Amino acid sequence: MNWKKNDLVTVRIEDIGINGEGIGKIDGFTVFVRDTVPGDLAEVRLMKLKKHYGYARLMQILEASASRVSFVCPAAGPCGGCQLQHLSYEAQLAWKEQQVRSDLIRIGGFENPPMLPIVGMDEPFHYRNKAQFPVGYDREGRLAAGFFAAHSHRMIPLVKADDGETEASEDITCRIGKEVNTLILKTILTWMQKYRISAYREETHEGIVRHVLIRCGYHTDEVLVCLVINAGKLPHSEVLADMLYDLKCGIVSLSFSCNTKRTNVILGDNYHVIRGEKYMTDRIGRNQFQISPLSFYQVNPQQTERLYQKAVELAQLTGKETVFDLYCGIGTISLALAEKAKQVYGVEIVPQAIEDARNNAALNGAENVSFYVGKAEEVVPQLYRTSGIRAEVVVVDPPRKGCDASLLETMISMQPDRIVYVSCNPSTLARDLKVLCDSGFQVESVQPVDQFPMTTHVETVCLLTHS
Ligand code: SAH
């Protein structure tokens, strides 16, 4: 390699990396360049060079890709939450579909995976029903809320306190979050300013308000607000409640959660209601869910509904089947399956999620669902070997690292008629499908679903059958 740091070079961008950077080659040497998209011809400055690849900074676009679009959010570059906002939505979808296909070919060893076209959103903005905004100070020392820049704890301010000097028009509304968030944050910051309530400073572990969590119901329009504080009590909280409820924007629950630890974990272990309910309510399909500030809940309700519909369709239930829903969270898929199955067993490692799952089952009158706390790879062998429970259909929805090898083994020996694999990481999906297909399963269909427009994430649901 003849290049050295600070050299200016011209490169054609060909692909996108997992963090959304453009990838190009200079004489066979791979470079990653932020803020570029496939098709761009870019002049870049080489920054950090490793043996087989390097990083470069974009200096100018010499020829813009046909898929390039303008950022719609002024904070998109520094914020890092929307890694693909400068790529047309059509091109984002094509890239995600190709990611899934190429992982299945490269890692899974499938020659021609039975892919269905990716399910995208009609309106790929303002889809997130949940946001957690860090609260702090901008460069001028004004109270502000925003997001942390990518891989850092430097806050990119979006909304600032109303101090008589800042114009409301300077506030930025996150394009993938709900529009109402800006109004709520503005009100909280104005209240903080008025009652001299400080924002948390990570370096010194001083100050009170750390984060604001806001959740919105998709079908119900209910809103839940929770302040995460570095204190045991929140002063002037009644005034805050009056101010927020006066907005008449659907708030049904206002609470605070105490987190006095030096930690990156956002929420504390518990929460206290200031006004309203302990939870907000939303629906997925026919089922209702009560969601507390601490509960896990899918963040893109519209696409979740489509994903679950597909999962249930692939499960092909007739009412006679015993079904395992593994990695079940708060039981959202379990309840969708229960409408059409004889019996559903949900397994999940987080005890609080199982508590929510049981409440949700009761709330919806589902009597044919039982939930177990524990690792899927431990609970399933027990249910199968000790209690003799065999499932005709197994649904798995593991975290990014995929299924544990021993769970795959149990599924292979149990030989369910169908496995529905829901995955948030195509590479571990491909790895696990290979193991299952080396032992007698076949992949019947692969359906990518875009749960997270503007980001590099892609969800996939697959059907496997046993011959
Ligand atoms: N199916 C749910 C949640 C999927 S997220 C939904 O659609 O909402 C993955 C879930 O797997 C998380 O709730 C996580 O807590 C859980 N989990 C992680 N490791 C696990 C394990 N080894 N066994 C069981 N559950 C696990």
Side-chain angles (χ1 to χ4, degrees), residues 104-293:
L104 288 173
I105 295 172
R106 194 171 48 85
I107 303 169
F110 299 97
E111 255 171 49
N112 190 12
M115 302 271 306
L116 294 164
I118 186 166
V119 178
M121 293 191 82
D122 302 331
E123 177 42 68
F125 292 103
H126 299 298
Y127 61 84
R128 278 191 71 100
N129 60 7
K130 173 186 164 185
Q132 303 181 114
F133 300 92
V135 179
Y137 298 92
D138 72 0
R139 283 208 186 110
E140 284 79 44
R142 275 176 305 200
L143 273 171
F147 286 120
F148 288 139
H151 314 295
S152 98
H153 277 201
R154 185 170 52 84
M155 188 183 63
I156 308 293
L158 295 180
V159 182
K160 294 177 183 171
D162 193 354
D163 59 1
E165 283 174 32
T166 1
E167 296 283 328
S169 57
E170 285 178 27
D171 291 336
I172 298 170
T173 295
C174 168
R175 299 307 198 271
I176 59 171
K178 294 287 166 195
E179 278 133 320
V180 72
N181 295 349
T182 305
L183 183 63
I184 294 171
L185 290 176
K186 190 86 178 169
T187 307
I188 294 174
L189 293 171
T190 303
W191 164 81
M192 287 174 69
Q193 169 115 343
K194 190 160 175 202
Y195 293 93
R196 295 180 188 283
I197 293 168
S198 53
Y200 180 65
R201 291 183 194 268
E202 225 172 49
E203 322 80 64
T204 55
H205 195 51
E206 284 167 350
I208 296 188
V209 182
R210 297 173 74 130
H211 272 86
V212 175
L213 162 77
I214 307 174
R215 251 190 176 133
C216 303
Y218 175 66
H219 288 288
T220 58
D221 286 330
E222 291 187 3
V223 177
L224 172 149
V225 179
C226 178
L227 278 71
V228 184
I229 60 170
N230 176 39
K233 277 198 300 222
L234 188 62
H236 305 288
S237 59
E238 278 303 311
V239 191
L240 175 66
D242 288 342
M243 287 170 74
L244 286 174
Y245 274 73
D246 277 353
L247 298 175
K248 303 209 181 324
C249 63
I251 298 178
V252 296
S253 170
L254 171 66
S255 62
F256 66 88
S257 175
C258 303
N259 181 358
T260 53
K261 294 187 191 141
R262 272 184 189 265
T263 166
N264 286 342
V265 176
I266 294 177
L267 293 162
D269 300 330
N270 48 39
Y271 68 103
H272 308 272
V273 175
I274 301 169
R275 189 168 296 174
E277 306 291 335
K278 285 178 73 177
Y279 47 77
M280 53 158 289
T281 307
D282 201 9
R283 289 199 311 273
I284 302 180
R286 271 201 285 263
N287 292 309
Q288 273 192 26
F289 296 91
Q290 290 179 341
I291 307 147
S292 87

Side-chain angles (χ1 to χ4, degrees), residues 296 298 308 327-329 332-333 348-350 374-377 397 399:
F296 171 86
Q298 294 279 355
Y308 289 1
Y327 309 89
C328 70
T332 37
I333 301 182
E348 160 65 45
I349 198 167
V350 175
K375 292 185 178 167
E377 58 273 23
D397 183 7

Side-chain angles (χ1 to χ4, degrees), residues 64-103:
S65 159
S67 311
R68 173 176 274 281
V69 293
S70 310
F71 282 119
V72 292
C73 173
C79 166
C82 290
Q83 306 113 331
L84 300 181
Q85 212 186 77
H86 52 322
L87 185 63
S88 72
Y89 188 51
E90 219 183 347
Q92 290 180 28
L93 291 175
W95 177 74
K96 290 184 186 194
E97 199 178 297
Q98 183 53 28
Q99 274 301 96
V100 177
R101 182 181 290 110
S102 70
D103 279 350

Side-chain angles (χ1 to χ4, degrees), residues 1 21 90 117 227 237 240 265 312 320 324 326 356 364 430:
M1 222 257 309
E21 339 77 327
E90 219 183 347
L227 278 71
S237 59
L240 175 66
V265 176
V312 172
K320 294 188 192 133
F324 282 158
L326 310 179
D356 286 346
N364 293 289

